[in-house]
């Protein structure tokens, strides 16, 4: 199993640009999550999904959108990127109590 | 959400035991205590969790106070690879999505 994979690993965006962060898991987990981590801080939940077709907001959803058309994929869309979205983004999935995290995407908005 | 309090940083020596404390005085009877750790430049990884009784697994032990207002993660014999940020997180006993709330954690440094 590859576990949770994320692409790209790094990205630099200009203010106002858009992009999609990809997340795929091959463990057939129902639950998937997107977190962001600012320097020196803990992770904050952006969006989560309990299954294909079902998503819900987390703690910091503004400026982001998600979709979940399949069990495996949970892309995160940034529209009109802002410097405040400079962060490391982690995707995770779970079946029950244990969340499995991907390696992260480091995003810089300048 | 019930909050946890952890020291910002701790230091220990290789091959010695490490006790990482966590206070959660407002824990409810339906909260599990979870520990995750984050190695440098990686995503967090699950370490252990418990409800009332002490728990052991291959990575660590979790000691839970009788009143559940505090807990301690124990690494029995630290290695350099255990240098990480350790997060103590409370999670309600509910079915469904487990929305973890991460604090700032404890940064553990291991000296060779």
């Amino acid at each position: 199993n590859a576990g949770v994979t994320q692409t790209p690993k790094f990205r630099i965006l200009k203010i106002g640009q858009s992009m999609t962060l990809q997340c795929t898991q091959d463990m057939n987990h129902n639950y998937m999550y997107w977190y962001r981590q600012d320097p020196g801080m803990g992770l904050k939940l952006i969006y989560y999904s309990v299954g294909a077709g079902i998503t819900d907001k987390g703690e910091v959803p503004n400026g982001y959108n998600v979709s979940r058309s399949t069990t495996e994929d949970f892309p995160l869309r940034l529209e009109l990127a802002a410097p405040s979205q400079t962060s490391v983004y982690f995707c995770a999935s779970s079946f029950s109590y244990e969340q499995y995290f991907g390696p992260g995407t480091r995003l810089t908005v300048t | 959400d019930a909050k946890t309090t952890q020291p910002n940083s701790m230091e220990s020596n290789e091959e010695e035991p490490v006790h990482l404390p966590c206070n959660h005085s407002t824990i409810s009877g339906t909260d599990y205590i979870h520990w995750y750790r984050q190695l440098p430049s990686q995503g967090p990884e699950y370490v252990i969790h418990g409800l009332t009784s002490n728990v052991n697994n291959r990575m660590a032990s979790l000691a839970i106070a009788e009143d559940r207002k505090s807990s301690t993660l124990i690494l029995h014999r630290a290695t350099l690879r255990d240098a990480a940020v350790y997060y103590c997180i409370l999670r309600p006993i509910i079915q469904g999505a487990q929305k973890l709330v991460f604090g700032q954690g404890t940064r553990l440094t291991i000296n060779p």
Side-chain angles (χ1 to χ4, degrees), chain B residues 92-105:
Chain B
I93 304 172
I94 54 169
Q95 297 299 317
Q98 306 300 319
K99 295 177 283 182
L100 300 178
V101 178
F102 287 80
Q104 290 191 251

Side-chain angles (χ1 to χ4, degrees), chain B:
Chain B
D1 292 327
K3 291 199 180 298
T4 63
T5 304
Q6 300 177 252
N8 287 336
S9 62
M10 290 184 65
E11 201 168 325
S12 185
N13 297 319
E14 203 176 5
E15 299 187 3
E16 289 184 356
V18 180
H19 291 233
L20 294 161
C22 181
N23 285 323
H24 28 78
S25 57
T26 59
I27 191 171
S28 79
T30 56
D31 284 337
Y32 276 101
I33 302 158
H34 279 237
W35 285 81
Y36 279 75
R37 73 179 185 181
Q38 187 173 19
L39 302 173
S41 300
Q42 294 188 29
E45 63 176 346
Y46 167 83
V47 177
I48 200 167
H49 78 285
L51 185 61
T52 56
S53 304
N54 294 344
V55 185
N56 300 299
N57 67 19
R58 64 176 178 79
M59 288 180 73
S61 295
L62 176 59
I64 302 172
E66 200 166 330
D67 63 5
R68 300 188 72 235
K69 293 183 187 295
S70 65
S71 60
T72 302
L73 180 71
I74 302 166
L75 308 179
H76 293 286
R77 202 159 168 264
T79 69
L80 294 177
R81 197 193 172 278
D82 292 319
V85 178
Y86 287 78
Y87 297 98
C88 170
I89 300 168
L90 301 183
R91 179 185 69 77
I93 304 172
I94 54 169
Q95 297 299 317
Q98 306 300 319
K99 295 177 283 182
L100 300 178
V101 178
F102 287 80
Q104 290 191 251
T106 296
R107 182 174 299 277
L108 177 64
T109 300
I110 304 295
N111 300 316

Side-chain angles (χ1 to χ4, degrees), chain A residues 36-58:
Chain A
R36 61 176 285 173
Q37 184 174 33
D38 298 332
M41 307 296 287
L43 283 70
K44 289 191 164 89
L45 184 65
I46 306 171
Y47 270 97
Y48 67 99
S49 169
V50 301
I54 306 169
T55 62
D56 207 347
K57 295 177 181 177

Side-chain angles (χ1 to χ4, degrees), chain A residues 33-37 44-48 56-66 76 78 88-90:
Chain A
Y33 315 81
W34 273 107
Y35 295 88
R36 61 176 285 173
Q37 184 174 33
K44 289 191 164 89
L45 184 65
I46 306 171
Y47 270 97
Y48 67 99
D56 207 347
K57 295 177 181 177
E59 190 181 351
V60 290
N62 291 345
Y64 306 95
N65 280 303
V66 293
L76 178 72
L78 278 73
V88 180
Y89 291 83
F90 291 101

